[in-house]
Amino acid sequence: MKKVWWKESVVYQIYPISFKDSDGDGVGDLRGVISKLDYLQYLGVNVIWLCPIYKSPGHDNGYDISDYCAIESRYGTMEDFDELLEEAHKRGLKIMMDLVLNHTSDEHPWFLESRSSKDNPKRDYYIWRKGKDGQYPNNWESYFSGSVWEYDQKTDEFFMHLYAKQQPDLNWENEAMVNDLYKMIRWWLAKGVDGFRFDAIAHIVKEIGLPDADNPDNLPVVRAYHYFSNLEQVHTMLKKLNEEVLFEFDIMTVGETSGLGPEEALDYVGEDRNELNMVFQFEHMFLDAASEGTGKWEIRSWTLMELKKIMSRWQTVLHRKGWNANYLSNHDQPRPVSRFGNDGEYRVQSAKMLATFIHMLQGTPYIYQGEEIGMTNVVFDSIEDYRDVETLNYYEQSRLQGQPEEVTMNAIHKKSRDNARTPMQWDDTPHAGFTEGEPWIKLNKNHQDINVKQALADSDSIFHYYRKLIAIRKQCQAIVYGDYKLLLPLDTEIYVFVREVENEKLLVILNFFDKTPVFDWPEDLKTDDKKLMISNYEPRQGEDGYHLTLRPYEARVYLLEGDCVKP
Ligand code: GLC
């Protein structure tokens, strides 16, 4: 297997608006990020994924870009960005930019021109269609509820937006538009950025003719994701992007690709494909949902067997052919400790167990800000306190459809993206050390107990556990490059797997719930040389080493062979 730095790295994701405010306006900023670089270096991560900091009206916190080559003034200046890049590099930290190529803001000059008249040279930079019999041009539903079409009076046509109506989709069939994007990407590469996370990249190409989706119930709009996800032409576009722009740079790339399984993912990340290094898959993120996309709001319970099945498939199908991006959280997802762990009595233990899980899989682990201190979901009683456009659209849509408020709010408490967007909890002061001013969104009330200051002071904290996980990854080839083999596939409580490379072998044992199941060591893995590498509990005195009664959310990683000293 090819050895490269981005396989050996651990990525830390920063959502700038909620990370650290340096000037008291209540909004996180680049100088805030600079002030926390030492913290990240101490944690041990190698790469920072910086969510969008480009100029933006902020309808979707920066995922609506109005100028790709300028910094949003609330976040700082281009000088601040240059300093961030330099200071990060000084500390051995790389910066991966989040780049939104599927759409822009409706305030981007291209869109202003595009909407100004039908014969404007930039008209075709976006996707415009006439209405059909006084209706939308087709029946596709937006990821953020409602139709993907918005009517524009000026030219009496509709433009397409897969997300919010302030995020018109770019038309990748227009060569001039694509060349303008290339120019912009070259400009960032010349600055020395170390990679890109390509937002919503699976959706840049839409089915030819934009056909209606099946609609047996005759609804105004229906989920139609397969008409604009992972189509063949996306691969052509990515290959071309690599040929024309990216190939000369030693960067890392990760694409956000919902709606695919590992076999299709290989078309993006296959080592011979020259498209992307990794993709973010979503199969495990929809385990607790009725279906993908807007189906996320219809909550169902998840099972460990399903999780094992999904993760194991990704581990084995991509093995030696591509590379995984492993994550349980990001700025679009609820907090993992609340979702897959236990944010009450066993918050600390379960956060550590989930961290062990992600960091011991084959692939590059991603940590989302606050995950390293076990931040939890938030429960705002009133919709007034929510800021996320997806959440607000869902609320409005549900109200119009007559769904009981209680049902809607329950779904929002569990699934709103704002769960991950409350300010980073740095200390126990009234605004958690996030800002001197009024934060743009309310804090989670638990910041008095859950914060970085506390975590740094407590040697047994989740934070220090993450540090240790990251440190052992740097020592053990088996963690990075080893094979993955699932044991006990049918066990409903324990997730056990082996990682093995040449002469290094690890056994990972994870108790996913608050019960105390027994793990019987398989005969062929018994060895007198076993060594406990990391665990979220103190070892038990007098325990029979091969018949383990696991404690709630217990995680153990044993070294069975080798010494985990990097050659
Ligand atoms: C991606 C981003 C999300 C954003 C959407 C539209 O899914 O992660 O935050 O709202 O794309 O850009």
Side-chain angles (χ1 to χ4, degrees):
M1 202 179 313
K2 234 178 38 206
K3 296 195 172 175
V4 282
W5 62 267
W6 44 262
K7 294 183 179 172
E8 296 171 11
S9 293
V10 175
V11 181
Y12 187 93
Q13 183 192 352
I14 292 182
Y15 196 62
I17 193 170
S18 297
F19 189 61
K20 171 73 188 164
D21 176 21
S22 72
D23 58 7
D25 65 355
V27 166
D29 49 43
L30 293 176
R31 303 218 67 82
V33 177
I34 295 173
S35 74
K36 295 299 179 187
L37 289 174
D38 289 339
Y39 168 77
L40 298 178
Q41 191 183 21
Y42 181 55
L43 178 58
V45 298
N46 322 79
V47 179
I48 295 171
W49 153 17
L50 191 63
C51 288
I53 39 75
Y54 319 92
K55 186 164 178 225
S56 161
H59 292 286
D60 190 14
N61 293 341
Y63 286 88
D64 47 330
I65 300 172
S66 55
D67 184 346
Y68 285 103
C69 294
I71 301 293
E72 166 55 29
S73 58
R74 295 184 308 161
Y75 296 156
T77 62
M78 195 53 82
E79 287 70 45
D80 294 334
F81 177 83
D82 292 340
E83 190 177 324
L84 168 62
L85 192 61
E86 197 186 321
E87 290 298 321
H89 285 169
K90 262 192 217 163
R91 291 167 177 80
L93 294 164
K94 295 181 185 280
I95 301 273
M96 174 167 78
M97 306 293 286
D98 200 327
L99 204 48
V100 188
L101 303 177
N102 179 68
H103 47 269
T104 66
S105 158
D106 61 350
E107 294 181 30
H108 194 291
W110 295 345
F111 189 71
L112 297 180
E113 280 196 52
S114 180
R115 89 184 325 173
S116 67
S117 77
K118 283 187 187 167
D119 50 17
N120 184 283
K122 296 228 167 18
R123 180 67 170 181
D124 283 339
Y125 271 38
Y126 296 85
I127 303 169
W128 291 96
R129 290 291 183 278
K130 282 194 192 339
K132 215 164 58 184
D133 318 321
Q135 303 286 326
Y136 298 128
N138 71 18
N139 63 7
W140 298 355
E141 186 187 35
S142 151
Y143 281 110
F144 289 172
S145 304
S147 169
V148 299
W149 297 101
E150 181 71 10
Y151 179 65
D152 200 48
Q153 205 159 23
K154 179 97 199 272
T155 54
D156 186 31
E157 283 191 347
F158 293 77
F159 66 86
M160 183 188 282
H161 59 92
L162 297 186
Y163 295 91
K165 62 175 192 251
Q166 297 88 355
Q167 295 168 299
D169 277 50
L170 287 164
N171 175 15
W172 277 72
E173 284 175 20
N174 184 294
E175 242 176 85
M177 188 292 287
V178 175
N179 283 326
D180 276 345
L181 288 181
Y182 288 171
K183 227 190 285 170
M184 173 275 290
I185 298 171
R186 281 192 202 103
W187 187 85
W188 280 103
L189 285 167
K191 270 192 175 291
V193 302
D194 305 290
F196 297 106
R197 177 248 185 201
F198 292 117
D199 183 77
I201 200 72
H203 311 308
I204 56 175
V205 177
K206 283 79 177 165
E207 182 72 40
I208 294 171
L210 312 180
D212 275 326
D214 281 351
N215 190 1
D217 299 327
N218 212 13
L219 301 167
V221 290
V222 287
R223 288 172 199 149
Y225 307 135
H226 56 285
Y227 287 110
F228 48 80
S229 301
N230 307 302
L231 301 185
E232 188 48 41
Q233 281 296 314
V234 177
H235 298 290
T236 316
M237 298 295 177
L238 280 172
K239 275 213 167 65
K240 204 157 160 246
L241 172 64
N242 276 275
E243 278 164 11
E244 306 253 334
V245 187
L246 306 182
F247 82 99
E248 332 169 36
F249 296 87
D250 181 21
I251 55 169
M252 76 179 259
T253 55
V254 52
E256 187 197 29
T257 55
S258 58
L260 48 62
E263 289 81 9
E264 302 91 65
L266 279 177
D267 291 343
Y268 287 106
V269 303
E271 294 205 337
D272 52 346
R273 297 281 299 182
N274 298 316
E275 294 190 25
L276 296 167
N277 298 143
M278 297 168 235
V279 293
F280 290 123
Q281 61 97 2
F282 281 74
E283 289 193 309
H284 64 317
M285 289 290 111
F286 289 111
L287 266 180
D288 57 358
S291 65
E292 270 188 51
T294 49
K296 78 180 234 178
W297 300 108
E298 292 162 49
I299 297 159
R300 65 177 186 103
S301 48
W302 63 279
T303 66
L304 183 60
M305 292 248 290
E306 286 174 290
L307 180 68
K308 284 185 195 180
K309 212 156 134 188
I310 291 172
M311 300 311 273
S312 300
R313 234 158 60 75
W314 281 85
Q315 290 287 296
T316 46
V317 175
L318 264 53
H319 183 58
R320 288 181 198 273
K321 297 197 181 116
W323 196 248
N324 273 292
N326 296 318
Y327 73 99
L328 286 178
S329 77
N330 62 38
H331 64 295
D332 294 330
Q333 299 294 337
R335 291 285 181 179
V337 70
S338 300
R339 187 182 194 182
F340 297 109
N342 177 318
D343 61 8
E345 189 181 351
Y346 297 111
R347 186 183 65 88
V348 173
Q349 292 84 346
S350 65
K352 289 177 182 175
M353 184 277 292
L354 293 170
T356 315
F357 170 49
I358 287 300
H359 287 253
M360 288 299 145
L361 291 171
Q362 188 182 74
T364 299
Y366 286 74
I367 303 170
Y368 176 67
Q369 67 186 39
E371 181 188 320
E372 78 279 18
I373 56 167
M375 279 178 63
T376 66
N377 279 354
V378 72
V379 175
F380 293 140
D381 293 331
S382 161
I383 190 66
E384 302 290 312
D385 290 331
Y386 286 89
R387 298 284 172 270
D388 167 32
V389 58
E390 180 194 37
T391 305
L392 300 177
N393 284 3
Y394 165 68
Y395 181 87
E396 186 53 18
Q397 188 82 8
S398 307
R399 199 182 59 80
L400 292 174
Q401 288 167 354
Q403 176 164 285
E405 165 100 5
E406 214 179 289
V407 176
T408 307
M409 287 310 285
N410 180 46
I412 289 176
H413 292 156
K414 295 228 163 54
K415 289 291 184 69
S416 169
R417 305 194 298 179
D418 281 339
N419 281 308
R421 297 175 178 188
T422 60
M424 180 71 183
Q425 297 169 193
W426 295 103
D427 61 33
D428 54 5
T429 58
H431 292 158
F434 164 67
T435 180
E436 299 283 312
E438 204 45 49
W440 71 278
I441 185 172
K442 278 191 178 170
L443 288 138
N444 192 321
K445 286 202 192 94
N446 61 22
H447 68 266
Q448 264 135 7
D449 303 316
I450 303 171
N451 60 66
V452 170
K453 188 172 159 217
Q454 180 282 330
L456 289 172
D458 173 4
S459 62
D460 201 25
S461 67
I462 301 168
F463 176 86
H464 287 294
Y465 191 89
Y466 269 83
R467 278 191 72 210
K468 190 164 173 195
L469 279 172
I470 297 168
I472 61 178
R473 177 185 189 80
K474 291 180 185 153
Q475 296 302 316
C476 290
Q477 293 284 300
I479 298 179
V480 181
Y481 295 110
D483 296 358
Y484 163 97
K485 189 172 160 225
L486 179 72
L487 307 184
L488 311 179
L490 302 181
D491 194 292
T492 55
E493 292 176 69
I494 322 177
Y495 193 152
V496 186
F497 55 95
V498 174
R499 300 292 315 282
E500 185 171 13
V501 74
E502 287 150 21
N503 41 20
E504 235 171 58
K505 192 175 196 173
L506 294 164
L507 174 65
V508 182
I509 307 164
L510 308 165
N511 177 12
F512 255 78
F513 302 100
D514 59 1
K515 307 282 180 327
T516 53
V518 170
F519 171 66
D520 279 313
W521 209 278
E523 272 313 311
D524 58 334
L525 295 180
K526 288 188 178 166
T527 159
D528 293 339
D529 294 335
K530 72 178 180 342
K531 181 176 150 215
L532 186 62
M533 298 283 289
I534 187 166
S535 172
N536 55 354
Y537 279 89
E538 284 297 313
R540 255 205 196 113
Q541 294 305 319
E543 173 179 80
D544 168 0
Y546 293 126
H547 182 77
L548 308 178
T549 302
L550 299 172
R551 289 160 279 188
Y553 298 98
E554 183 158 4
R556 301 190 192 195
V557 180
Y558 285 94
L559 182 64
L560 304 181
E561 266 176 52
D563 47 17
C564 267
V565 177
K566 202 175 170 181

